[in-house]
């Protein structure tokens, strides 16, 4: 038994265990339901305001990975990806709030469709009306002080203004039935 313990310890110290960990690193291509995830940016993804978007779909890699690993339904993923793309535009240009708010309005219009009208159209998927996608995504989307401050600057641009909710329509959804985003607008 002592010999087995010593051999196990030598095996671990020899680097064989280290080799196994390297094989499961984030350098490997990860595919979730046919969607190739971008590489995990790690802490490098937090070093700049805009982060890393290696596949240029308008959604930061860390957020895209979180969405595909957290949610299973394609429509749900599409809703979150559309929201994430809109929030990325907010972060990118918070002082152009009146121009970029259309992306959030489209995302909200799409979300309203899947919350309030999907059942009426015999859709196989619908959102619970008490669910807030915004609450679910904010923690990952605004995960640095700089990103949160950009979001706050965006909101300040609307100080004192009153808005009506956008209409609920599936036409404002910017993703296909597989949850994949349409080309970057």
């Amino acid at each position: 038994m002592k010999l087995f313990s010593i051999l196990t310890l030598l095996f671990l110290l020899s680097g064989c265990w280290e080799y196994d960990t390297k094989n499961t690193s984030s350098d490997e291509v990860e595919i979730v339901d046919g969607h190739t995830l971008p590489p995990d940016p790690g802490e490098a993804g937090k070093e700049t305001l805009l982060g890393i978007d290696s596949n240029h779909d308008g959604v930061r890699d860390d957020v895209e990975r979180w969405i595909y690993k957290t949610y299973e339904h394609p429509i749900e993923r599409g809703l979150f990806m559309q929201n994430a793309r809109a929030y990325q535009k907010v972060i990118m240009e918070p002082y152009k709030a009146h121009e970029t708010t259309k992306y959030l309005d489209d995302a909200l219009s799409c979300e309203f469709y899947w919350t309030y009208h999907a059942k009426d159209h015999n859709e196989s998927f619908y959102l619970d009306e008490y669910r807030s996608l915004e609450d679910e995504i904010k923690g990952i989307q605004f995960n640095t002080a700089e990103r949160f401050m950009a979001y706050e600057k965006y909101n300040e641009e609307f100080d004192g203004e009153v808005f009506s909710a956008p209409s609920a329509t599936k036409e404002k959804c910017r993703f296909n039935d597989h949850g994949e985003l349409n080309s970057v607008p």
Side-chain angles (χ1 to χ4, degrees):
M1 186 65 152
K2 215 178 213 185
L3 179 62
F4 179 74
S5 297
I6 292 171
L7 288 174
T8 302
L9 181 60
L10 288 173
F11 177 76
L12 291 173
L13 293 174
S14 72
C16 293
W17 180 78
E18 191 176 306
Y19 176 79
D20 287 343
T21 13
K22 287 181 182 172
N23 282 343
T24 59
S25 75
S26 62
D27 293 338
E28 289 185 15
V29 173
E30 288 183 77
I31 299 174
V32 175
D33 295 335
H35 178 81
T36 302
L37 293 178
D40 184 351
E43 289 302 308
K46 293 181 179 179
E47 291 177 1
T48 64
L49 176 67
L50 299 180
I52 298 170
D53 179 13
S54 62
N55 59 6
H56 309 289
D57 63 358
V59 178
R60 281 194 340 257
D61 292 351
D62 61 313
V63 177
E64 183 171 346
R65 291 176 61 80
W66 174 80
I67 290 168
Y68 274 84
K69 289 183 172 208
T70 303
Y71 302 101
E72 292 183 10
H73 198 281
I75 301 299
E76 195 172 30
R77 287 177 178 158
L79 287 164
F80 276 98
M81 290 290 287
Q82 184 171 349
N83 271 284
R85 181 189 279 170
Y87 280 130
Q88 189 70 358
K89 289 191 178 296
V90 164
I91 291 170
M92 192 180 315
E93 300 177 309
Y95 294 107
K96 291 186 176 181
H98 290 88
E99 292 88 9
T100 59
T101 196
K102 66 182 176 187
Y103 299 105
L104 284 175
D105 285 349
D106 284 356
L108 194 56
S109 180
C110 179
E111 180 182 338
F112 284 170
Y113 171 82
W114 290 103
T115 303
Y116 301 108
H117 298 288
K119 285 184 197 176
D120 298 338
H121 292 95
N122 296 318
E123 300 280 4
S124 61
F125 175 84
Y126 60 90
L127 288 173
D128 181 340
E129 67 182 283
Y130 299 106
R131 184 171 177 193
S132 171
L133 297 177
E134 184 179 22
D135 288 346
E136 291 178 46
I137 199 169
K138 274 186 176 179
I140 188 78
Q141 188 72 47
F142 307 116
N143 61 350
T144 68
E146 189 179 18
R147 291 172 184 156
F148 181 76
M149 293 307 295
Y151 180 62
E152 288 297 306
K153 287 176 188 171
Y154 167 84
N155 282 324
E156 286 172 9
E157 292 292 310
F158 298 113
D159 191 29
E161 294 184 41
V162 178
F163 298 92
S164 60
S167 61
T169 177
K170 191 175 182 179
E171 285 73 35
K172 296 292 182 171
C173 297
R174 304 294 182 230
F175 54 88
N176 64 25
D177 291 339
H178 303 290
E180 301 284 333
L181 286 174
N182 299 339
S183 62
V184 179

